[in-house]
Amino acid sequence: MALTPEDLRYTEEHEWVRRIGPTRVRVGITDYAQSQLGDVVFVQLPDVPRTAEAGESVAEVESTKSVSDIYAPLAAKIVVVNEELSAAPETVNADPYGAGWLFEAEVEDASALDITLGELLDAAGYQGVIGG
């Protein structure tokens, strides 16, 4: 069974979102997603800074099975990427909710971020998506 931490928000496209500041979030792919991909061999991270719309493809994760697009879970400016993944893409498999994060994004307004995060799936909602 896939690990789905209660303190995160999720998208139906299998990204997780963790609030790390009033206007900043960290984004990665879920444990379920990495398990479906198999061994991750390459991560194409977005250029920073980059403005992205919600649902826009901003990165790719390549595994031994396939290449998967990673989508921006919200409209925001991508400000930081996890450079460690260039040398160790397998970290996405080993620690998807920790060291395997992909990027950080910033929005202008904390109250707008509250609303956006509220519109994403909670852990129970995401479990429903993956049949958990």
Side-chain angles (χ1 to χ4, degrees), residues 71-92:
Y71 301 96
L74 66 160
K77 181 183 279 188
I78 298 170
V79 292
V80 176
V81 296
N82 187 352
E83 300 285 353
E84 302 295 318
L85 297 180
S86 296
E90 67 277 3
T91 307
V92 171

Side-chain angles (χ1 to χ4, degrees), residues 35-57:
S35 71
Q36 296 300 301
L37 282 170
D39 295 334
V40 173
V41 296
F42 180 73
V43 179
Q44 177 69 51
L45 296 166
D47 294 329
V48 291
R50 174 193 172 159
T51 301
E53 294 300 317
E56 181 181 344
S57 176

Side-chain angles (χ1 to χ4, degrees), residues 53-82:
E53 294 300 317
E56 181 181 344
S57 176
V58 295
E60 288 183 345
V61 174
E62 183 177 332
S63 72
T64 54
K65 293 182 183 178
S66 67
V67 176
S68 296
D69 285 325
I70 305 301
Y71 301 96
L74 66 160
K77 181 183 279 188
I78 298 170
V79 292
V80 176
V81 296
N82 187 352

Side-chain angles (χ1 to χ4, degrees), residues 3-46:
L3 181 65
T4 310
E6 294 284 334
D7 63 326
L8 302 177
R9 304 303 283 185
Y10 300 90
T11 70
E12 291 189 14
E13 292 77 29
H14 311 290
E15 290 90 19
W16 58 260
V17 181
R18 173 181 288 127
R19 190 177 207 154
I20 58 171
T23 58
R24 187 176 283 208
V25 296
R26 182 171 279 174
V27 178
I29 65 168
T30 65
D31 184 48
Y32 175 82
Q34 70 78 22
S35 71
Q36 296 300 301
L37 282 170
D39 295 334
V40 173
V41 296
F42 180 73
V43 179
Q44 177 69 51
L45 296 166

Side-chain angles (χ1 to χ4, degrees), residues 93-118:
N93 294 118
D95 191 10
Y97 299 117
W101 63 276
L102 300 176
F103 60 87
E104 293 180 4
E106 186 93 38
V107 298
E108 302 258 335
D109 182 82
S111 60
L113 182 57
D114 292 339
I115 293 166
T116 300
L117 291 176

